[in-house]
Amino acid sequence: MSSPTSLNSNNVMRPTWQERLQDHCRAAQMHPPVFNIVSDRRGGRTAWSSTVTIEGQNIAARYWYDGQYVNNAKEDAAEVALQQLTTPQSPHAQMPGQAQAWRLRGYSSVSSG
């Protein structure tokens, strides 16, 4: 279920990123997006983020959020996914969120050898 439509700075109703992504998938005759919430324990706190799966492709949000802002994580993932679906990519382009995900897990995106 999507978030309710939100007001922008001019008090005009506009669809959320989640709604826009669902609309895009529907128009493109794709399966609906599936959101997943992920967490990472950091010291005494837990950081929350989201991924969205579309047609078998898992797309990560760019940022991590405090627990009370989990919906913002879903909005972030939806925005990244919609941009990825609507922007032509070169075959070797790194997708948004990939470098961030590697850094957060302590991996380097540079391979040796």
Side-chain angles (χ1 to χ4, degrees), residues 4-94:
T5 302
S6 62
L7 292 173
N8 67 13
S9 60
N10 296 326
N11 291 327
V12 175
M13 298 298 283
R14 65 178 174 86
T16 65
W17 284 106
Q18 293 172 67
E19 290 169 334
R20 292 169 65 183
L21 178 60
Q22 289 174 345
D23 290 345
H24 176 82
C25 289
R26 189 177 309 109
Q29 298 182 347
M30 301 166 72
H31 287 32
V34 177
F35 289 89
N36 300 294
I37 304 300
V38 294
S39 64
D40 185 24
R41 184 89 171 145
R42 298 180 179 189
R45 300 188 66 146
T46 302
W48 298 87
S49 193
S50 179
T51 63
V52 60
T53 304
I54 302 169
E55 298 291 308
Q57 183 176 2
N58 199 27
I59 301 165
R62 293 167 291 199
Y63 307 110
W64 292 82
Y65 298 84
D66 191 62
Q68 63 189 0
Y69 301 108
V70 170
N71 192 59
N72 290 2
K74 290 170 67 174
E75 283 291 291
D76 186 19
E79 180 182 358
V80 171
L82 190 58
Q83 289 173 348
Q84 184 175 319
L85 289 170
T86 59
T87 304
Q89 298 286 326
S90 68
H92 302 291
Q94 189 173 42

